[in-house]
Amino acid sequence: MQAVLGDVDANLAQAERLLRTAVSQGAEWVVLPEFFTSGVAFLPEVAEAAQSIDGPAVRAMQSWAREHDVLVTGSLLVREPDGNVRNAVLAVDRTGVRGRHDKDLPTMWENALYVGGSDDGVVDVDGAAIGLAVCWELTRTMTVERMAGRVDVVLGGSGWWTVPAWRPRPIFEAWERANTARAKAAPALFASHVGAPVVHASHSGALECPMPGLPLGYAGRYVPATGIWAADGTALARVRDAEPQVVVADLELRRTPPLEAPQTFWLTPPGPLPLFAWHQQRWHGRRWYAKNQRTSA
């Protein structure tokens, strides 16, 4: 997808168009990106896109699932009765919401938008053990530990942004090449460590917003990393370019012995700038969340 930041109606319309295309090509399960209703950026309109679990976005997912008799997954900002917002990954079919996973740790400026959850991300849908995980959850060993050998398939997505083109340019460009390579390799690597196929949907397109606690603004893009990978990490289908599109593949839900994960926090290290932003924006983002995003229960 190429989300319109904070415009839920426009993003639901785009998601439905892409879903119909997928169904016309034979899809029985349709995986939408993380934050498919809003995109993700440090902007008030993205924060304001949070809605209740029985709001328009989930009703739309239920309507699509009923009309086409498909399973639909994707994540959105859900405002809870306790006043908190969470990044909820939902699995919806014609009968309603069949499973939910709340992303465990917000990434960078995401800390301004929601708080993390504590479930294991494994849900049962008609006998299939489905792992639900998004974006940087696919790069952490703690996610592998929750799912390895326990799931038949992982359905996920991302809104993974690039390293900004600051000075000195050669250094930041090198960091960005490593960042993009990491984003595109993450689903296949995760599949091999979990021992299950991965279906991953992503955002693409340009992205600009302020940065929490910094005088510099962010200008970059999302990394298009949509694809379908077998349990051994073999790519079965991948996006051709950064345009909105679907990929479809026949996928056998068959577990394989998982590769042992490294004894580290990250499956692959983020690099200096993303790691700095992970800590710096977490602190400033949480302050912004407490002041602006959380509401009284």
Side-chain angles (χ1 to χ4, degrees), residues 192-251:
S192 65
H193 284 301
V194 174
V198 171
V199 184
H200 179 267
S202 65
H203 288 285
S204 62
L207 169 64
E208 293 187 21
C209 67
M211 299 181 73
L214 291 175
L216 298 170
Y218 172 85
R221 57 184 172 81
Y222 295 114
V223 179
T226 292
I228 303 169
W229 289 264
D232 64 359
T234 301
L236 303 179
R238 299 186 72 165
V239 291
R240 299 180 303 276
D241 50 47
E243 295 300 314
Q245 60 190 279
V246 302
V247 297
V248 179
D250 292 323
L251 188 63

Side-chain angles (χ1 to χ4, degrees), residues 75-95:
S75 100
L76 66 152
L77 293 171
V78 171
R79 185 170 294 282
E80 308 282 23
D82 66 3
N84 278 308
V85 176
R86 290 182 173 84
N87 180 6
V89 193
L90 304 179
V92 179
D93 69 7
R94 63 183 305 127
T95 67

Side-chain angles (χ1 to χ4, degrees), residues 137-187:
E137 285 188 312
L138 302 179
T139 70
R140 295 197 291 271
T141 55
M142 58 195 295
T143 322
V144 171
E145 291 168 358
R146 297 200 303 261
M147 296 187 184
R150 297 184 56 213
V151 296
D152 300 309
V153 65
V154 177
L155 307 181
S158 68
W160 190 312
W161 51 88
T162 58
V163 172
W166 293 342
R167 296 181 185 278
R169 286 291 177 84
I171 292 177
F172 281 87
E173 288 172 355
W175 287 347
E176 167 44 28
R177 288 192 294 272
N179 173 69
T180 290
R182 182 170 176 256
K184 292 185 175 182

Side-chain angles (χ1 to χ4, degrees), residues 51-64 66:
Q51 55 188 258
S52 67
I53 194 66
D54 57 357
V58 178
R59 292 201 301 270
M61 294 177 76
Q62 292 172 328
S63 174
W64 304 334
R66 285 194 301 269

Side-chain angles (χ1 to χ4, degrees), residues 14 48 99 122 234 237 257:
Q14 181 182 170
E48 293 164 3
V122 180
T234 301

